[in-house]
Amino acid sequence: MFQIIKNEWRFLLRSRIFLGISIGFIAILIVSVFLGNYQTQKQDQTQTNAKEHVRQQWVSIDEMNPHSAAHYGTYVFKPANLLSSLDEGVNSVTGNVLRVEGHVQNEIVHSEASQMQVVSRFGKLKSSLLLQYIVPLLLIFLAFNSVSSEKQSGRLKLLILQGAKPIQLILSKTFSVWLYGLLLLLFVIVVYGILNLQSLTSEILFRTGLFFLSYALYYFIISGLTVFFSARWQNATLALTSMLGIWILWTIFLPNVLMSSVEKWHQLPSRNEFQTAMDEDRSKGLDGHNPTDERTKALEEKVLKEYKVDSLSQLPINFDGLLMQADEDYGNKVWDKHFGNNRNVLQEQKQSFQLGGIVNPFISLQNTSMGFMASDNVHHQEFLLQVENYRRVFIKMLNDEHAFGGSKTGNWGKNADNAFFRSVPDFDYKPTQLSVVFSNYMLDLALLAFWSVLVFALILFGTKKIEIL
Amino acid sequence: MIQINELTKKYGDATALENLNLKVGKGEIFGLLGANGAGKSTTINTLLGFINPDSGSVQINEIDTVKNAQETRKLIGYIPENVNLYPYLSGLENLDYFCKLAGLKYTKSELEEFLSTCGLETKAHAKKVSGYSKGMRQKVGIAIAYAKKAQVYLLDEPASGLDPLASNELSVLLKKLAAEGATILMASHDIFRVREVCNRIGILKNGILVKELNSQDVSANELETLYLKFMQN
């Protein structure tokens, strides 16, 4: 087998067309890695600056009423992940800035896509675009003729006569083409590693390793299947047409059809429905700004009883702060219910979409690629959850200051000092743990492995039916 | 040695070979004459173990080609009408590659010796095969079989498309191989070349060996007359 692989590579290295295409493509890959890295670092720098600016504004507040500060709010930024320079996943459409304030959970804004002139699937030169769409095409063009040319030229007879077995021939040719794909992949990862040498951590290396594994498996599937078709079909055109058909089906048609179906099976409420339901549930709770509200009265009675006083003016604390927090707590429950439901639907959508990998390994590749590069929806949802948790801590601190900061009920003029605002912690994003990521994408990895075994078995058993003449 | 007994092969209703009996001994060159579709290629492919006969037996050095194709292939050198080698490799590299596939490792000088023995000029050894003529490629093809120490040579239309000089060189080479003890079966249209090279000749028509004769017994013209007579009947 080694001799056949060596001979295949001798052909590749001596073919000027192939070398020209390879050099050109490698140049494009380098540019894509550079661009991705540059964009990520630029975004990271912009966000760090903005984050510092916003924090500076916050800690510079000399004095302000805590509840006014809750309305004033602050901003949190989704950190630009170094890994996502290889695959930006959903990041370009999900946005990266979120305003944190009292009474309301805002939506994330300022997505990259919303600021682009043209948004298209093939719009940006990204490493993942080249690795997922273009490299498999290159492998197909490299492999579709590999066995049929031997057959048509009559060399196959000579090879068999010299002792080569059809299975050896097909596997060797598969490995040759696969090796080419692996080298391109390795090239991307090495350039990426060199560019980020100082920032590499064991987690980044491990995630990149899993990223490499996913692509390696997918490239084996494409290479093996193409070489098998090249051996099985009587002419190369048929092998090429079959593989291009599969490529279109896997990369363009099926993911769209499947995503649309999954969205229908597990439907998210429309924005309008969602807002109406939230407002309806919210209206059943406390209104922190309405003292005549019945539920407010009930809370008032409870607090008065607790402090064993008869009126709000006798309370040693500011009841308005408690009221605002109670309003907030109720709002949080409403948010948990509705957003929790949305998260469940999104999780169901993800799981159903993952099962699409049974018929389409490209789906598994896309999932693992985004997942291991921390640019998938799981990471995004985790970020949103952390922001919401932060918002709750943030607003509670302000409400507690309003309630227990020394003012009496109805006193909206009492301000907190600068030391208090400095004591409010900044948002600190904790990256999603690798174990969580791994458990989310083990199925995709397993499906890629399953497909690889399937293709290997196809070569192993299908080779017996291949006609030499 | 080649031994074919009562070999029959049919493709659907069409009979490619019918009760073919043939024996080619060591050091003998047998010429199989016949029109297109007469069954020459089917005979060779059966000997190569690529076609299973419907009935009858085919043996190479007394080993059955159907039951032990891997074994008999080790003994066979096959030279098709067009020896399509790897064009990006030189003649020497092609020979080296095919030898290594057969598990044979030769030094460069040994490989060059094989090529020279088979008539390829030394200055052509290192040149890429893409620049070779048909005759030169055929010499490399024979060198591959020679380096493999093939005991049986099967040639399918070897002289087709060769210029007279190359054709003559081929004849000389085949006679040399036979003199060294090789068994050679050559399928061809070329009556004159067959008459000149082969010891014995068979005329195949519609899968039936209609005539077998010693080449010494007929002149080229007589052979042509005989061949045409069989073809027209």
Side-chain angles (χ1 to χ4, degrees):
Chain A
M1 265 175 56
F2 172 72
Q3 288 303 330
I4 302 172
I5 294 172
K6 190 177 152 191
N7 190 44
E8 288 296 305
W9 271 87
R10 216 157 28 173
F11 161 66
L12 296 178
L13 296 172
R14 288 182 186 184
S15 160
R16 283 183 188 170
I17 295 172
F18 171 79
L19 276 182
I21 290 173
S22 294
I23 290 168
F25 190 68
I26 286 170
I28 294 171
L29 276 176
I30 292 174
V31 170
S32 77
V33 178
F34 265 106
L35 280 178
N37 209 58
Y38 171 74
Q39 282 165 359
T40 307
Q41 286 186 349
K42 194 179 160 199
Q43 192 189 354
D44 186 46
Q45 193 55 50
T46 308
Q47 290 192 357
T48 305
N49 292 343
K51 184 176 154 64
E52 279 171 9
H53 177 71
V54 166
R55 180 64 186 169
Q56 196 53 44
Q57 276 186 329
W58 181 260
V59 297
S60 301
I61 299 173
D62 277 339
E63 51 178 37
M64 189 188 275
N65 176 269
H67 190 68
S68 300
H71 279 286
Y72 177 72
T74 189
Y75 289 89
V76 294
F77 300 89
K78 188 176 177 182
N81 195 316
L82 189 66
L83 289 159
S84 60
S85 65
L86 284 180
D87 189 341
E88 66 175 347
V90 298
N91 285 353
S92 65
V93 289
T94 51
N96 47 36
V97 184
L98 200 64
R99 186 168 179 222
V100 170
E101 60 177 323
H103 302 302
V104 63
Q105 285 90 354
N106 290 307
E107 285 184 45
I108 194 162
V109 291
H110 296 304
S111 73
E112 196 182 345
S114 68
Q115 296 163 56
M116 284 167 70
Q117 294 288 325
V118 179
V119 182
S120 119
R121 177 182 285 270
F122 298 103
K124 279 176 71 184
L125 184 68
K126 280 279 177 184
S127 306
S128 57
L129 171 89
L130 298 172
L131 293 175
Q132 286 174 14
Y133 293 85
I134 311 300
V135 173
L137 270 182
L138 274 181
L139 299 184
I140 290 171
F141 284 114
L142 210 59
F144 80 95
N145 200 21
S146 57
V147 180
S148 50
S149 68
E150 302 280 20
K151 211 186 285 187
Q152 280 162 2
S153 66
R155 267 196 308 265
L156 188 60
K157 268 181 170 181
L158 280 178
L159 292 169
I160 302 290
L161 209 65
Q162 290 300 104
K165 294 190 175 87
I167 179 79
Q168 285 178 331
L169 201 69
I170 293 171
L171 280 179
S172 303
K173 285 181 182 269
T174 299
F175 289 142
S176 303
V177 177
W178 186 40
L179 196 62
Y180 178 65
L182 292 186
L183 284 176
L184 292 178
L185 185 58
L186 205 62
F187 205 89
V188 167
I189 286 172
V190 167
V191 173
Y192 164 79
I194 292 170
L195 287 175
N196 299 292
L197 207 56
Q198 288 170 336
S199 317
L200 293 180
T201 60
S202 58
E203 173 158 344
I204 289 180
L205 287 174
F206 194 64
R207 278 174 176 262
T208 312
L210 289 169
F211 175 85
F212 182 87
L213 177 68
S214 312
Y215 279 89
L217 289 171
Y218 185 67
Y219 290 169
F220 178 78
I221 295 163
I222 292 288
S223 309
L225 215 50
T226 315
V227 174
F228 178 74
F229 282 156
S230 174
R232 193 79 176 84
W233 302 148
Q234 278 304 316
N235 65 64
T237 314
L238 200 56
L240 180 63
T241 313
S242 307
M243 277 316 293
L244 287 180
I246 287 175
W247 182 86
I248 292 168
L249 197 71
W250 278 0
T251 59
I252 298 170
F253 187 68
L254 275 181
N256 285 324
V257 169
L258 209 66
M259 198 63 233
S260 304
S261 308
V262 160
E263 282 170 354
K264 275 207 165 62
W265 294 331
H266 310 288
Q267 232 167 357
L268 278 169
S270 69
R271 183 171 287 201
N272 200 25
E273 284 169 350
F274 181 75
Q275 203 54 51
T276 308
M278 281 272 284
D279 290 346
E280 198 182 315
D281 277 353
R282 194 77 204 248
S283 69
K284 292 173 190 163
L286 277 160
D287 182 353
H289 284 296
N290 182 7
T292 59
D293 183 74
E294 275 182 29
R295 285 154 302 223
T296 307
K297 287 283 176 200
L299 178 69
E300 186 183 317
E301 277 170 25
K302 187 184 159 212
V303 173
L304 289 175
K305 202 174 168 185
E306 201 178 304
Y307 280 88
K308 294 171 184 162
V309 291
D310 300 325
S311 69
L312 291 177
S313 59
Q314 290 174 328
L315 278 173
I317 57 160
N318 190 332
F319 177 72
D320 296 327
L322 295 183
L323 190 59
M324 292 301 159
Q325 187 54 39
D327 176 17
E328 201 61 42
D329 289 342
Y330 187 79
N332 291 345
K333 281 181 190 165
V334 172
W335 192 88
D336 286 344
K337 178 187 163 190
H338 291 277
F339 274 85
N341 181 47
N342 277 9
R343 277 172 67 89
N344 289 341
V345 173
L346 284 172
Q347 185 64 15
E348 283 168 356
Q349 284 187 352
K350 176 187 158 285
Q351 284 168 349
S352 298
F353 192 64
Q354 277 181 305
L355 290 176
I358 295 170
V359 289
N360 182 5
F362 180 76
I363 285 175
S364 305
L365 175 74
Q366 274 196 318
N367 289 340
T368 50
S369 179
M370 282 192 290
F372 296 137
M373 292 296 103
S375 57
D376 61 333
N377 206 32
V378 171
H379 283 81
H380 182 65
Q381 292 300 320
E382 176 65 24
F383 167 74
L384 292 180
L385 198 64
Q386 285 187 31
V387 172
E388 175 55 17
N389 288 338
Y390 170 72
R391 195 194 71 82
R392 291 178 187 186
V393 172
F394 176 76
I395 297 300
K396 187 166 187 323
M397 274 188 84
L398 293 169
N399 284 335
D400 284 354
E401 179 63 17
H402 191 79
F404 307 108
S407 66
K408 293 277 197 162
T409 307
N411 179 2
W412 292 92
K414 173 81 168 94
N415 290 341
D417 61 6
N418 178 261
F420 167 73
F421 289 108
R422 282 183 181 277
S423 72
V424 176
D426 198 6
F427 174 67
D428 182 26
Y429 176 68
K430 302 265 185 308
T432 310
Q433 285 188 331
L434 192 59
S435 56
V436 175
V437 180
F438 198 70
S439 66
N440 265 288
Y441 293 104
M442 215 158 72
L443 175 67
D444 297 280
L445 217 49
L447 284 172
L448 282 170
F450 161 75
W451 267 94
S452 302
V453 172
L454 197 71
V455 169
F456 191 79
L458 192 70
I459 292 172
L460 213 60
F461 299 109
T463 307
K464 289 172 187 165
K465 290 182 180 172
I466 288 166
E467 291 170 9
I468 308 296
L469 298 176
Chain B
M1 189 184 74
I2 297 169
Q3 178 127 25
I4 300 175
N5 295 317
E6 299 293 322
L7 177 65
T8 299
K9 178 70 190 174
K10 288 182 180 177
Y11 298 107
D13 294 334
T15 302
L17 292 172
E18 193 173 346
N19 297 326
L20 177 68
N21 289 294
L22 191 69
K23 189 174 177 179
V24 186
K26 197 177 173 190
E28 197 176 16
I29 308 177
F30 190 92
L32 206 53
L33 283 173
N36 288 334
K40 303 189 296 292
S41 294
T42 303
T43 308
I44 286 181
N45 282 322
T46 311
L47 284 163
L48 290 169
F50 293 135
I51 292 175
N52 286 341
D54 294 331
S55 62
S57 69
V58 182
Q59 292 178 335
I60 301 282
N61 284 5
E62 298 179 346
I63 304 170
D64 193 291
T65 63
V66 179
K67 291 175 188 163
N68 300 298
Q70 293 284 354
E71 278 302 302
T72 52
R73 280 175 192 158
K74 286 179 188 168
L75 306 171
I76 300 173
Y78 168 62
I79 295 94
E81 182 179 351
N82 283 304
V83 181
N84 276 310
L85 301 163
Y86 292 99
Y88 51 88
L89 300 180
S90 67
L92 196 70
E93 287 171 330
N94 264 292
L95 177 59
D96 184 39
Y97 174 58
F98 280 100
C99 283
K100 279 178 177 161
L101 277 184
L104 304 164
K105 282 181 186 170
Y106 291 115
T107 61
K108 192 184 171 196
S109 59
E110 284 172 325
L111 292 169
E112 285 184 328
E113 182 65 32
F114 289 133
L115 288 173
S116 298
T117 305
C118 293
L120 191 72
E121 286 181 23
T122 311
K123 62 180 182 185
H125 291 186
K127 282 186 183 167
K128 281 189 184 170
V129 162
S130 55
Y132 277 21
S133 67
K134 189 179 175 184
M136 288 162 86
R137 280 187 279 121
Q138 212 152 39
K139 285 170 185 169
V140 179
I142 295 172
I144 291 169
Y146 189 69
K148 191 181 165 184
K149 298 192 170 36
Q151 294 173 36
V152 173
Y153 286 73
L154 303 176
L155 297 95
D156 199 352
E157 309 284 359
S160 165
L162 291 185
D163 62 59
L165 181 66
S167 194
N168 184 57
E169 283 174 349
L170 176 70
S171 303
V172 172
L173 186 57
L174 292 180
K175 282 179 181 172
K176 187 177 149 191
L177 291 171
E180 288 176 13
T183 304
I184 301 174
L185 176 72
M186 178 173 142
S188 181
H189 288 118
D190 189 341
I191 294 165
F192 296 95
R193 186 60 55 193
V194 166
R195 160 68 186 77
E196 191 249 318
V197 179
C198 302
N199 310 107
R200 284 193 301 130
I201 303 162
I203 298 173
L204 202 58
K205 187 186 176 188
N206 298 332
I208 299 167
L209 191 66
V210 288
K211 183 74 182 170
E212 199 179 336
L213 65 158
N214 289 322
S215 55
Q216 290 164 340
D217 298 342
V218 284
S219 68
N221 285 337
E222 285 168 342
L223 180 62
E224 186 182 26
T225 309
L226 192 67
Y227 178 75
L228 290 173
K229 188 183 128 193
F230 277 113
M231 291 302 118
Q232 283 158 1
N233 284 338

